[in-house]
Amino acid sequence: MLAARLPYAAQRCSFSTAAHVQRQVPILSSPDIDTFRDQAFVPALPFLLPRHTFRDLPAIRNWFLHQPTNTSNGPLSPALNLSYLARFGSTIVPLEITNNDHFVRTSQALSFFLACVNASSSSYEQAISPPKRINRYFSARRPGSRPIRRSVVTKRATGDFFSSSSAISTPTARVYLAQATLSDLPQALRDDLSPTPSYVLEAGKGDVYDTSIWLGEAPTYTPLHRDPNPNLFVQLAGRKSVRLVRPDVGMGIFAKVQERIGGNASATMRGEEMMAGPEKLALEEEVWGDDSEFKASMWEAEVGVGDGLFIPKGWWHSIKGTGEGMTGSVNWWFR
């Protein structure tokens, strides 16, 4: 039994509220490398690092600010430090853009992403100033339309993806800076995520397969998938909930979803098919739904600022950004 192998499993993630998930990812009893290697890395089990292990990463204080929420006396909501990040505005970054059930990946300058974030955090009234000049990032048709600028790249790639029809009355399109490779970023931003955690450099062979950053306004969502390398996932801003299943269970979920939707996707090479349409809906129901037959096999963790989660090679996982404001994460895949 798992509990017999993990006497420290009584240290649970205290933030989860999903009572139907039986296992909460345990917290390592110590932050030292030997404990990480013996309890998590070698047996290939998910673990949270002791809370706030990574709180001193410069990116946490340089990239983000905190502002009041719409709820009086509520907690502060994380926001991007636009003045700091704007210095790197010409950097090209990968973006995932969703509009209802439509999805597209594209590349844009970081300044475009920052402009969308800045506009979406403003009210429609603030976007109009004398003499009634409308902010170009907002729809001129209806208050509440999601702020998106038509660029040559996105218009060519998506056609009428950003339609500003007068029928739109609620926010629709969302922009997520997803899986931006750290080595493609300016040196100053890479320095903000230094040093590389010792867990990555010392637990295994010491080589990093890849490092990515993720920035987006909550709620964000990454469907169920698996990675070909061990993964250290660190939260920089906001909160995220992560659900994980063992490799064999994940394959069972994937097979059921493919049978249910009549699909033939590859479990190894995951693409845009999981980001929209029937596969995304089916995956979400099987992982996050109360009626899923796999709920007893789910593990769950919630990560906050400075928290780290180890995801073993081959473990399937799905991630949701929760709460209000900006969420930010970085992860290292290593051998």
Side-chain angles (χ1 to χ4, degrees):
M1 294 294 291
L2 180 65
R5 295 175 57 194
L6 305 178
Y8 38 81
Q11 298 184 34
R12 298 298 187 184
C13 171
S14 60
F15 299 105
S16 176
T17 58
H20 65 276
V21 174
Q22 290 191 348
R23 292 187 177 94
Q24 301 303 312
V25 173
I27 302 175
L28 280 180
S29 56
S30 169
D32 65 79
I33 294 294
D34 288 340
T35 301
F36 173 76
R37 184 185 293 112
D38 294 344
Q39 297 183 358
F41 186 78
V42 172
L45 292 172
F47 266 90
L48 286 159
L49 280 297
R51 293 293 180 184
H52 314 306
T53 293
F54 303 97
R55 63 188 172 190
D56 294 328
L57 277 174
I60 293 176
R61 60 179 181 270
N62 290 342
W63 297 9
F64 303 96
L65 304 171
H66 290 83
Q67 58 190 13
T69 63
N70 294 328
T71 305
S72 59
N73 300 321
L76 296 179
S77 174
L80 286 181
N81 185 346
L82 298 175
S83 62
Y84 179 81
L85 294 173
R87 296 187 294 154
F88 314 102
S90 61
T91 303
I92 301 300
V93 293
L95 301 178
E96 295 180 353
I97 305 174
T98 55
N99 188 346
N100 294 320
D101 198 35
H102 300 285
F103 173 84
V104 67
R105 283 192 176 97
T106 187
S107 296
Q108 288 279 346
L110 178 63
S111 58
F112 170 70
F113 173 72
L114 298 179
C116 292
V117 170
N118 184 43
S120 66
S121 63
S122 306
S123 68
Y124 185 79
E125 288 75 21
Q126 289 173 330
I128 302 176
S129 57
K132 300 295 182 181
R133 187 162 58 106
I134 297 177
N135 186 310
R136 60 182 173 170
Y137 297 105
F138 278 84
S139 165
R141 301 297 186 104
R142 292 288 296 275
S145 296
R146 192 66 179 177
I148 292 293
R149 177 177 61 179
R150 280 184 184 270
S151 73
V152 173
V153 174
T154 54
K155 185 175 181 180
R156 181 171 62 248
T158 63
D160 60 355
F161 191 84
F162 297 116
S163 172
S164 57
S165 166
S166 60
I168 297 177
S169 59
T170 58
T172 53
R174 304 187 67 84
V175 182
Y176 190 27
L177 195 162
Q179 203 167 322
T181 301
L182 191 61
S183 60
D184 291 340
L185 300 181
Q187 185 62 51
L189 294 181
R190 289 160 26 204
D191 291 343
D192 284 339
L193 293 167
S194 296
T196 301
S198 55
Y199 306 102
V200 172
L201 298 177
E202 299 178 29
K205 295 183 178 180
D207 55 336
V208 179
Y209 177 75
D210 201 1
T211 304
S212 294
I213 62 170
W214 315 73
L215 300 173
E217 292 179 287
T220 61
Y221 176 61
T222 301
L224 187 71
H225 67 287
R226 63 180 181 179
D227 297 328
N229 295 97
N231 182 355
L232 180 63
F233 184 91
V234 173
Q235 193 69 4
L236 304 173
R239 305 194 73 81
K240 285 186 176 178
S241 293
V242 186
R243 288 195 176 175
L244 311 94
V245 291
R246 292 178 178 275
D248 57 332
V249 177
M251 281 301 300
I253 297 175
F254 178 77
K256 179 181 178 182
V257 166
Q258 293 304 309
E259 181 179 4
R260 172 178 164 184
I261 67 173
N264 59 357
S266 168
T268 303
M269 301 298 293
R270 309 297 288 122
E272 294 185 9
E273 70 280 348
M274 73 175 184
M275 301 300 298
E279 181 167 327
K280 177 186 176 183
L281 178 61
L283 283 171
E284 187 167 10
E285 289 176 349
E286 294 298 341
V287 176
W288 299 92
D290 288 339
D291 296 328
S292 172
E293 67 178 87
F294 299 98
K295 62 185 179 183
S297 300
M298 294 285 170
W299 298 49
E300 185 173 71
E302 186 166 332
V303 289
V305 178
D307 290 341
L309 170 66
F310 173 65
I311 303 173
K313 174 182 177 179
W315 277 64
W316 294 69
H317 50 285
S318 178
I319 304 174
K320 284 189 175 184
T322 60
E324 295 185 22
M326 184 62 54
T327 65
S329 312
V330 58
N331 77 287
W332 288 265
W333 287 288
F334 59 105
R335 297 184 176 92

